Amino acid sequence: MAADPLSAGLLGGLEPTVELAPGLLLARSFFDAPAQRRLAADVAQAAQAAPFFRPRMPCSGKPFSVLMTNCGELGWISDESGYRYEPRHPATGASFPPIPALALSAWRALAGAAPAPQACLVNYYDAGARMGLHRDADEGDFLAPVVSISLGDDALFRYGGANRSDRTKSVRLRSGDVVVLGGPSRLAFHGIDRIYPATSGLLPQGGRLNLTLRRVSPPP
Ligand code: SIN
Ligand code: FE2
């Protein structure tokens, strides 16, 4: 076992965590450059076992602009049948690879006393991809926060309140930043308006990766 990345000094504390709204935290530069490279390499390796696929909207079947894959015991899937968690990759039928250790470190550092995450959704944004305003509400437990890691190109993150019509604000997320949606913001609307192409050299192909860690079922 490698040393715990927290005690190895790879993580956290580079910039103070800011509270964007009650329960909505931004840990700027949570991952330093070496940790970002390691985590991006872990994702690339996971994607060999669990290839990126293009999700489709429920009912309409309209393709998402992002590509997705998952790590962990459960993966988030969207297609004509709806949004849901599944234990197997929709194309290969295999279980998903384990959640990368560095991603779990972010959960341990930022998710408080929440039990371990069961799902790690991985979104890949190319220069033109975006993510419409939505809530993460397919879980059976909203006590645990959602922990969301940015790698690669900058992105404009929009966040609001519990209602779609609530006023929204935006913040530019950079590689290594981690956002936590917890407490009163666990079900806040959020999305990605745009990617800023070629703002990071982390990913050889350019673009942005987002890793979203979630608890899916209530603790045992
Ligand atoms: C998401 O909410 O699914 C993704 C958020 C992000 O890409 O930062
Ligand atoms: Fe989300």
Side-chain angles (χ1 to χ4, degrees):
M1 262 289 280
D4 187 313
L6 274 174
S7 55
L10 282 173
L11 290 177
L14 300 182
E15 287 179 53
T17 296
V18 289
E19 193 166 35
L20 300 173
L24 209 176
L25 309 181
L26 170 56
R28 277 273 187 224
S29 305
F30 183 87
F31 292 101
D32 66 10
Q36 291 170 40
R37 285 194 289 273
R38 262 175 56 184
L39 186 49
D42 289 346
V43 170
Q45 192 181 7
Q48 290 187 355
F52 281 95
F53 58 91
R54 190 168 299 280
R56 302 181 301 278
M57 288 298 288
C59 303
S60 72
K62 183 175 181 286
F64 283 45
S65 62
V66 296
L67 294 171
M68 287 183 179
T69 189
N70 288 273
C71 298
E73 64 191 79
L74 293 170
W76 188 84
I77 308 288
S78 179
D79 61 18
E80 287 80 351
S81 307
Y83 303 143
R84 63 197 180 276
Y85 285 94
E86 295 272 4
R88 294 183 179 281
H89 189 285
T92 70
S95 51
F96 297 105
I99 299 176
L102 278 170
L104 290 174
S105 300
W107 180 274
R108 280 199 298 274
L110 296 168
Q118 293 164 294
C120 176
L121 172 64
V122 183
N123 292 136
Y124 174 72
Y125 296 77
D126 66 15
R130 54 188 296 280
M131 176 80 67
L133 210 61
H134 67 278
R135 301 190 306 165
D136 290 12
D138 300 317
E139 299 72 40
D141 173 45
F142 300 131
L143 285 175
V146 170
V147 171
S148 174
I149 301 168
S150 293
L151 293 174
D153 286 340
D154 293 1
L156 189 62
F157 178 73
R158 181 182 294 278
Y159 59 96
N163 299 300
R164 185 176 285 280
S165 58
D166 290 345
R167 199 167 63 90
T168 61
K169 292 183 183 175
S170 296
V171 64
R172 185 163 167 157
L173 298 181
R174 297 190 287 259
S175 194
D177 291 351
V178 181
V179 167
V180 180
L181 291 146
S185 287
R186 172 61 183 78
L187 291 169
F189 276 87
H190 61 278
I192 294 291
D193 285 347
R194 61 161 298 193
I195 299 298
Y196 297 90
T199 44
S200 162
L202 181 72
L203 307 178
Q205 71 277 35
R208 173 175 183 265
L209 287 169
N210 170 255
L211 281 68
T212 302
L213 297 153
R214 303 190 189 115
R215 181 78 202 175
V216 179
S217 47

